[in-house]
Each structure stands twice: as C-alpha cells, then as structure tokens.
Amino acid sequence: MRKTKEEILKDKLVKKDEEIRKLKEELSKTQNELDLARLSNELVKAKTDEMMNTCEKTMITFNDSLKELDDLKKEHKKMIEEMKETQSNQKKDYKSLIKKIRKRK
C-alpha cells in the first residue's frame, strides 16, 4: 500500500516534531547546566572573598602582634640597660660606703 503525499508529510512532520522536542530537551539541559555553573562560580567568588577577608584580618592581627612584640623587645632592652645602670650605681655606692667606713676606722 502506497502512502499518500499527506501521509508522507504527516510522517515528516511527526519526525520533525520529535527532533524539535529532543533539541528543546537538550537546550533545557544545557541551560540548567549553565545556570548551575554560574551559581557554582558565584559560590566560588563568594568563598574566595570570604577567605580574602579572613586572610586580611589575620595579616592585620599578625602585623599588630609583631609591632607589639617589637615594642616589648625595646622595653625589655631598656629595662636591662636600666638594671645594668642601677647595678653599676650600686657598686659605686658600695665602694664609696666601704671607703667611708675604712676612713672612720
């Protein structure tokens, strides 16, 4: 049995409709993947920004700690110098006192 032109056109139309449906599904899938990739990219950017902020705060804290440590080192050095000076003065005073005591005898 031969198909009429109308039946042939209907068959072609059905095939084209099926192709169009498959292409639409593929397009929808691709769009979903693209949306997912965009969201993923935004999440990466947000996480990177958060990590940068944390790093920046840590660096500030670290630099403040270094400055504080440097100040403490300077203060320690100054105190040691003062102690040396005090010790030297005490030795002088002690020697002077010993001389005075010897003179009195």
Side-chain angles (χ1 to χ4, degrees):
M1 167 171 193
R2 273 184 81 134
K3 290 185 177 181
T4 64
K5 276 189 173 183
E6 191 177 312
E7 289 173 322
I8 293 172
L9 286 174
K10 276 185 181 180
D11 287 346
K12 284 184 179 180
L13 186 61
V14 168
K15 285 180 184 177
K16 287 293 180 188
D17 282 344
E18 184 63 25
E19 278 183 47
I20 289 172
R21 186 188 61 74
K22 285 181 182 178
L23 287 172
K24 282 182 178 179
E25 284 177 8
E26 219 176 293
L27 178 62
S28 177
K29 184 179 174 187
T30 304
Q31 284 176 334
N32 288 341
E33 289 174 351
L34 182 60
D35 288 344
L36 206 62
R38 283 183 184 139
L39 285 174
S40 178
N41 190 26
E42 287 177 22
L43 280 172
V44 168
K45 284 181 183 178
K47 194 65 175 172
T48 302
D49 288 346
E50 181 184 328
M51 290 171 71
M52 288 296 292
N53 288 338
T54 302
C55 184
E56 198 172 299
K57 288 176 184 175
T58 304
M59 286 296 292
I60 289 170
T61 303
F62 179 74
N63 286 336
D64 289 347
S65 296
L66 283 178
K67 186 181 181 310
E68 188 177 331
L69 182 63
D70 191 47
D71 291 346
L72 286 171
K73 282 181 181 179
K74 287 176 184 174
E75 186 178 334
H76 179 258
K77 204 172 193 178
K78 183 180 174 186
M79 289 179 95
I80 287 178
E81 291 300 318
E82 288 175 358
M83 287 174 64
K84 283 180 181 178
E85 187 178 326
T86 301
Q87 187 179 22
S88 175
N89 288 339
Q90 284 177 341
K91 278 183 181 178
K92 287 178 186 174
D93 290 347
Y94 178 75
K95 285 181 180 180
S96 173
L97 187 63
I98 294 227
K99 281 183 181 177
K100 285 181 182 176
I101 290 174
R102 285 186 183 159
K103 280 184 182 179
R104 288 187 183 173
K105 284 186 178 184

